[in-house]
Amino acid sequence: MRVVIAEDAVLLREGLAGLLERFGHTVVASVGDATALVEAVAEHRPKAVVTDVRMPPGFADEGLRAALELRARDPELAVLVLSQYVEQTYAAELLESGGGAGVGYLLKDRIGDVREFVEALDRVAGGGTVVDPEVVRQLLRRRRDPLARLTPREQEVLGLIAEGRTNASIARELFVTEAAVAKHIANIFTKLDLPPAADGHRRVLAVLAYLRS
């Protein structure tokens, strides 16, 4: 099988190439950034691509976005993402591309042995789907409506926050104490998994979650 590897870490890139060659595959190109990946696929027309997510120049999601671009051009191109990270923004889109056939997403530190990795690539190249259980867990958690975790009272408080109300104004509206409002807001921050920050910033994040629901 003809394979293109995209991995910015040179030692890992060369190690993957040697591994695949050992198992009888042909690595037609081994590149270190997303632009080179797209160019290598156009030039060599491989059966499969193995790519990392975070690559130069931004080390954000360049590899995954390149994979999406390649799948849009050729839905039959097999793509196996091999990364340390679950990039939720584009991971679900990639796994849904081409009807979910010929695509995979594995986490580097959860691969038990080299044969497991090679077998996963073979399954993807054969039109199968291989997804790390941790990737599935994180994507399901992201897709779940975050507001469903709030009590009716907490949703009511969040709605008033979205209107720009202060704690005192919310307390008057609901006929409760400001201490009770503060407790509801703390629960909202916790249930929406908002990062530790100044309360004003977290109020904005909470409102965004409310508006997206």
Side-chain angles (χ1 to χ4, degrees):
M1 176 169 56
R2 293 162 56 82
V3 183
V4 167
I5 297 172
E7 165 63 57
D8 65 285
V10 177
L11 290 179
L12 178 55
R13 185 168 73 235
E14 294 306 311
L16 285 172
L19 171 66
L20 293 178
E21 296 278 1
R22 197 175 84 206
F23 277 82
H25 299 306
T26 301
V27 177
V28 294
S30 180
V31 301
D33 62 74
T35 300
L37 167 59
V38 174
E39 293 173 349
V41 170
E43 178 181 355
H44 297 285
R45 308 296 297 175
K47 173 67 174 178
V49 164
V50 177
T51 182
D52 196 357
V53 169
R54 300 183 178 182
M55 302 179 70
F59 291 97
D61 52 20
E62 289 85 353
L64 193 50
R65 286 190 284 113
L68 274 171
E69 179 183 338
L70 293 170
R71 289 275 287 183
R73 295 180 182 180
D74 181 8
E76 294 186 0
L77 174 66
V79 172
L80 177 59
V81 174
L82 182 62
S83 180
Q84 290 178 286
Y85 312 97
V86 180
E87 174 47 62
Q88 298 183 1
T89 305
Y90 296 106
E93 188 176 346
L94 176 67
L95 293 173
E96 291 168 357
S97 66
V103 66
Y105 199 128
L106 298 177
L107 298 181
K108 292 176 180 176
D109 60 357
R110 289 168 59 88
I111 295 176
D113 57 57
V114 295
R115 188 173 296 277
E116 177 185 352
F117 164 70
V118 175
E119 289 176 351
L121 178 60
D122 289 340
R123 287 199 300 274
V124 169
T129 304
V130 179
V131 185
D132 191 294
E134 176 62 17
V135 175
V136 174
R137 188 184 69 82
Q138 292 198 34
L139 291 179
L140 287 176
R141 185 174 62 186
R142 177 176 181 266
R143 289 185 169 189
R144 188 182 303 128
D145 180 5
L147 300 189
R149 302 167 63 184
L150 305 183
T151 67
R153 174 63 91 182
E154 289 164 355
Q155 292 185 28
E156 191 174 13
V157 169
L158 181 54
L160 293 171
I161 292 175
E163 294 176 9
R165 302 286 194 93
T166 64
N167 286 15
S169 174
I170 294 172
R172 290 193 298 271
E173 176 74 19
L174 300 180
F175 300 100
V176 297
T177 65
E178 287 192 45
V181 172
K183 183 177 180 180
H184 286 313
I185 292 175
N187 289 338
I188 290 168
F189 291 163
T190 299
K191 291 181 179 180
L192 294 183
D193 296 321
L194 298 179
D199 278 357
H201 180 57
R202 289 202 289 179
R203 287 173 86 99
V204 171
L205 294 176
V207 168
L208 289 174
Y210 177 81
L211 295 175
R212 284 195 296 264
S213 67

